[in-house]
Amino acid sequence: MAAALLPQSQGYLPYYLIYSGVSAVLHSVACYRMEPASALKAFSGPARPEPTGLLARVYATKNLYTSLIRLYAAYHLTNNPQLYDLAAWTFAGVLWLYGSELAVYKTVRMREASFPFVTAGVGLVWMLVQRDWYRGL
């Protein structure tokens, strides 16, 4: 039964996409359900914005559509090159978001940005390096 729920593509990238997609869904739920100050703990840099409910819901929505792209891509890596590229762009978007918030806007600190940098960096590099292999299957 559980095997039917897993992606049928070769390699481990589909599982990484599922991991990152499920993580984003869980954070979306946290942003919708928790107090904004707790849900937006990542944004605790010197120029931290006021943690409002609206900001938490906007961030939750961003996480939700990012997770849906990654989860859908996990099951369609080999037969939809546009979806593959879109999933890679979601990792680039996370790097852009946290990079600009760290370096330009000062709303996050490196301590909070390190986990998104690692997970998005690994995902983006993995998808760029393996692009031809997955698209050639």
Side-chain angles (χ1 to χ4, degrees):
M1 174 66 181
L5 298 175
L6 297 176
Q8 301 305 310
S9 296
Q10 297 177 3
Y12 295 108
L13 181 57
Y15 299 106
Y16 190 79
L17 290 172
I18 290 173
Y19 156 75
S20 65
V22 169
S23 296
V25 167
L26 293 174
H27 192 251
S28 290
V29 170
C31 286
Y32 278 117
R33 305 275 301 157
M34 294 172 67
E35 289 296 318
S38 298
L40 298 171
K41 194 172 277 193
F43 298 97
S44 59
R48 177 186 183 167
E50 181 69 26
T52 66
L54 175 62
L55 184 59
R57 291 186 300 275
V58 167
Y59 193 64
T61 302
K62 188 270 317 167
N63 278 340
L64 188 59
Y65 71 73
T66 298
S67 69
L68 293 174
I69 292 168
R70 291 178 189 168
L71 290 169
Y72 198 80
Y75 292 92
H76 300 281
L77 282 179
T78 59
N79 61 357
N80 192 330
Q82 295 84 8
L83 187 58
Y84 187 99
D85 293 343
L86 189 60
W89 277 109
T90 66
F91 291 119
V94 169
L95 290 172
W96 177 264
L97 171 70
Y98 279 92
S100 64
E101 295 300 327
L102 178 68
V104 177
Y105 303 110
K106 311 282 191 244
T107 61
V108 299
R109 296 178 295 191
M110 191 60 195
R111 178 177 26 179
E112 289 86 10
S114 60
F115 186 74
F117 279 147
V118 170
T119 56
V122 166
L124 180 61
V125 169
W126 194 349
M127 292 192 80
L128 292 175
V129 169
Q130 294 291 305
R131 186 174 190 265
D132 291 338
W133 187 80
Y134 275 100
R135 290 185 62 191
L137 290 179

